[in-house]
């Protein structure tokens, strides 16, 4: 798993290690008639037998600490081992910087493991604000391999709120979105920073520039669902401002004129119409121009948009049919 | 339509942990209780729960319980809310909740609620809306929702609602179908679905369906059979399941079967596991695939399971089984 072949070959069975001579290993008890009997590898068996011995004896010693490390390398999902390790770390008052280094190592191959991230948070919380930038740096490294790792994002958000480090967060979101404009996690983080950073002044202050940012992203890749939702989110609780912001109708028009993938643009047009936006003739023409044949003949423009959406996004035809029924009466 | 390889899946589940030196078996040891829930519920949906010895299962599960009332993932493991729910669900499958000291278990769960209404997974304090769902689902099955502050629990869940109508693991975290299932499920069970913007969330959820017919869990991610459960059950609970193309999803799930050896994988041609086998079969049940027992989208248990005798907050799920697939 986490150890190279060299280490595998070099492993001395526990039963042959003098420092463990006094311990009687405790085998896994699956009950008298195991419901789901398991066949284990020898190494795993032996390590866990010794772990059970020290766990049951509540031995919080350096050798027990080392043993939990071996057990974790064999199965980093075993939460009982992690928990016992924490008890030992506390009892021995171990330098937690070293512990963080261990967690760094083991996360590399197990970046979606809940236990590892939880353990990391426990260590970081104890180390406090001094560790903030290291934690931000670590999650950044994880994102360089997988920019959407949910655990890492959860950790990063916790670090920012508990330990600080907001200064460069919006810039980091810029960076990630430059790498991949489709990264929904980065869009979510952007919203997180804009609404929660103590350094930026909040949504009201940031709205204008963020709208510009979203629109730029939309024009680059109109098939990207994230910036469209982000745009909506910027106008949360104030949909009239969304409807009255000329940039919104304008970006819909631009996308449709370009005849590129237009589902989100049509959806936004529909949203605007549902809030009594008066469409320009240019917009109407652009919408009709992207319609596949046979061109829908609904005389009501909003209904026609729904009909077109049923044609261009057939997998969600039911949804677009429902949208048609919920268009408010025209003024 | 392709065939559901029922016999092969049953065989797969019954034999899965007898494989020698199987890496998957070895690393699943500590979450065996979850595995039991996935395997046994699948068998029940397929009408084959009698293939296992009920008494042995119950006896083993009870040995996973601690003094504190919580259950560990296997014998000898620390208690955690994750395994506590699975244990209760397995007992519910066998209509054996009465073997529990309900007060004891309920107190354990209730002790994990925090000031802000959130729930920790165990004494180590990890907080996640998954645990909110687990606590609420567990206590509802035990008829002891009165043990917690439901209002605050709901308030915390609502604080995790995002601008797209979805929910994350904590306030501000990205919307994710798995977390959405947990939040919507918890709100459904506590009669609090009015907090959900069903149209907005319904749209986000139906946008999870990709060309192949499968569902992903977040924008621009790959489809995975387990989202057939998380997304689908969420859609059913908010009465918007007709917004996805059900036929295409059925075909996607069936394509994820290992037709030779049984079991279902996350996507076509990948290795199978019990987790995805369960979610694939459960998803097909929600889609009313013929020959399967109906499953409750909030409790993730077959609707005919004993707990149904319990009075619970009325939910559209229980009163209509899962059959409320409006043809609109």
């Amino acid at each position: 798993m986490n150890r190279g072949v060299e280490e595998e070959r070099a492993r001395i069975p526990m039963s042959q290690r003098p420092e463990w001579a006094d311990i009687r290993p405790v085998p896994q008890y699956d009950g008298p008639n195991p419901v789901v009997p398991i066949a284990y590898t020898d190494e795993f068996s032996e390590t866990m037998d010794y772990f059970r011995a020290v766990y049951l004896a509540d031995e919080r010693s350096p050798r027990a600490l080392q043993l939990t490390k071996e057990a974790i390398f064999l199965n980093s999902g075993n939460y009982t081992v992690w928990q016992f390790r924490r008890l030992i770390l506390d009892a021995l008052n171990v330098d937690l910087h070293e512990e963080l280094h261990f967690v760094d190592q083991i996360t590399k191959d197990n970046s979606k493991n809940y236990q590892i991230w939880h353990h990391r948070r426990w260590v970081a919380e104890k180390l406090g604000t001094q560790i903030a930038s290291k934690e931000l740096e670590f999650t950044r490294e994880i994102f360089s391999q997988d920019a959407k790792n949910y655990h890492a994002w959860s950790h990063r958000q916790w670090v920012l709120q508990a330990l600080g480090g907001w200064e460069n967060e919006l810039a980091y979101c810029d960076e990630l979105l430059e790498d991949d404009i489709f990264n929904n996690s980065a869009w979510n983080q952007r919203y997180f920073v804009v609404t929660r950073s103590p350094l930026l002044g909040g949504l009201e202050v940031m709205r204008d520039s963020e709208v510009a940012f979203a629109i730029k992203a939309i024009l680059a890749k109109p098939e990207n669902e994230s910036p469209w939702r982000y745009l909506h989110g910027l106008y949360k609780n104030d949909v009239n401002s969304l409807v009255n912001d000329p940039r919104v109708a304008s970006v819909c028009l631009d996308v449709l004129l370009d005849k590129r993938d237009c589902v989100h643009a049509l959806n936004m047009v529909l949203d605007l119409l549902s809030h009594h936006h008066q469409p320009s003739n240019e917009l109407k023409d652009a919408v009709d121009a992207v319609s596949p044949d046979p061109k829908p003949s609904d005389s009501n423009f909003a209904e026609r948009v729904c009909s077109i959406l049923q044609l261009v996004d057939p997998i969600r035809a039911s949804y677009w049919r429902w949208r048609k029924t919920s268009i408010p009466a025209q003024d | 339509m392709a065939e559901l390889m029922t016999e092969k899946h049953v065989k797969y589940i019954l034999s899965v942990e007898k494989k020698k030196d199987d890496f998957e078996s070895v690393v699943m040891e500590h979450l065996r209780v979850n595995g039991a829930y996935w395997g046994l519920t699948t068998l029940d949906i397929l009408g084959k729960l009698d293939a296992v010895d009920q008494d042995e299962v119950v006896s083993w599960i009870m040995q996973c319980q601690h003094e504190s009332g919580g259950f560990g993932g296997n014998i000898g493991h620390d208690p955690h809310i994750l395994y506590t729910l699975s244990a209760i669900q397995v007992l519910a499958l066998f209509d054996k909740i009465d073997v529990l000291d309900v007060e004891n278990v309920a107190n354990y769960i209730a002790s994990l609620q925090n000031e802000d209404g959130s729930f920790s997974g165990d004494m180590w304090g990890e907080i996640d809306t998954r645990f909110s769902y687990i606590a609420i689902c567990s206590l509802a099955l035990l008829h002891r929702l009165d043990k917690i502050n439901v209002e605050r629990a709901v308030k915390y869940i609502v604080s995790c609602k995002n601008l797209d109508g979805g929910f994350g693991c904590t306030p501000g975290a990205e919307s994710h179908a798995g977390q959405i299932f947990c939040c919507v499920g918890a709100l459904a069970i506590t009669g609090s679905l009015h907090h959900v913007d069903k149209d907005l969330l319904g749209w986000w959820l139906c946008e999870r369906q990709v060309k192949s017919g499968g569902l992903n869990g977040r924008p621009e991610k790959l489809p995975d059979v387990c989202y057939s459960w998380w997304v689908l059950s969420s859609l059913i609970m908010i009465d918007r399941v007709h917004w996805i193309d059900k036929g295409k999803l059925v075909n996607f799930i069936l394509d994820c079967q290992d037709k030779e050896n049984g079991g279902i994988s996350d996507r076509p041609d990948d290795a199978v596991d019990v987790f995805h086998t369960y979610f694939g079969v459960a998803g097909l049940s929600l889609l009313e695939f013929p020959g399967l027992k109906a499953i409750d989208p909030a409790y993730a248990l077959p609707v005919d399971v004993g707990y149904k005798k319990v009075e619970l907050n009325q939910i559209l799920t229980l009163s209509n089984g899962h059959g409320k697939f409006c043809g609109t």
Side-chain angles (χ1 to χ4, degrees), chain B residues 261-283:
Chain B
N261 305 306
I264 296 177
S265 59
D266 57 354
R267 56 190 74 90
D269 303 323
D270 276 356
V272 305
D273 59 49
V274 177
F275 176 85
H276 288 95
T277 304
Y278 164 68
F279 286 113
V281 171

Side-chain angles (χ1 to χ4, degrees), chain A residues 85-286:
Chain A
R85 186 174 176 87
R86 286 194 279 278
L87 292 176
I88 303 172
L89 289 169
D90 268 345
L92 299 182
N93 209 20
V94 168
D95 175 1
L96 291 176
H97 289 93
E98 268 183 47
E99 184 64 6
L100 208 50
H101 180 66
F102 163 59
V103 179
D104 284 353
Q105 272 186 285
I106 194 139
T107 310
K108 297 272 147 73
D109 293 329
N110 295 285
S111 63
K112 295 195 182 179
N113 174 312
Y114 282 103
Q115 287 72 36
I116 295 177
W117 286 101
H118 174 53
H119 188 77
R120 188 179 190 98
R121 189 175 302 198
W122 180 84
V123 174
E125 192 163 21
K126 286 189 172 260
L127 287 169
T129 52
Q130 52 155 321
I131 213 70
S133 58
K134 182 185 190 314
E135 290 308 284
L136 293 176
E137 184 50 43
F138 182 76
T139 49
R140 181 189 265 263
E141 272 173 48
I142 297 292
F143 294 139
S144 69
Q145 300 298 312
D146 174 6
K148 302 179 188 180
N149 184 316
Y150 199 80
H151 303 271
W153 279 114
S154 176
H155 187 69
R156 193 175 176 93
Q157 288 192 344
W158 172 79
V159 170
L160 289 167
Q161 293 188 292
L163 306 176
W166 293 94
E167 298 75 37
N168 300 312
E169 198 61 10
L170 193 60
Y172 182 53
C173 291
D174 283 340
E175 222 186 283
L176 287 171
L177 289 171
E178 241 181 75
D179 282 342
D180 178 10
I181 195 75
F182 291 89
N183 185 342
N184 193 64
S185 305
W187 283 102
N188 182 75
Q189 188 71 351
R190 200 175 178 97
Y191 196 77
F192 183 81
V193 176
V194 162
T195 52
R196 293 168 193 256
S197 168
L199 307 172
L200 290 177
L203 185 56
E204 292 292 320
V205 165
M206 299 292 295
R207 177 176 293 148
D208 203 59
S209 56
E210 288 304 295
V211 168
F213 185 86
I215 286 177
K216 199 160 158 233
I218 287 169
L219 289 169
K221 296 278 179 191
E223 68 273 29
N224 184 0
E225 49 176 305
S226 303
W228 292 99
R229 286 186 203 277
Y230 189 74
L231 196 51
H232 253 293
L234 292 171
Y235 283 107
K236 189 181 167 155
N237 302 326
D238 185 11
V239 77
N240 285 323
S241 296
L242 173 82
V243 174
N244 295 326
D245 186 334
R247 294 176 291 180
V248 180
S250 182
V251 73
C252 293
L253 179 61
D254 288 340
V255 170
L256 292 168
L257 284 174
D258 220 10
K259 290 194 173 62
R260 287 178 291 174
D261 188 299
C262 53
V263 175
H264 296 298
L266 289 168
N267 181 53
M268 182 60 87
V269 169
L270 193 52
D271 287 341
L272 296 176
L273 296 171
S274 299
H275 290 94
H276 310 293
H277 170 77
Q278 299 304 314
S280 64
N281 286 324
E282 228 188 339
L283 184 61
K284 288 190 188 181
D285 291 342

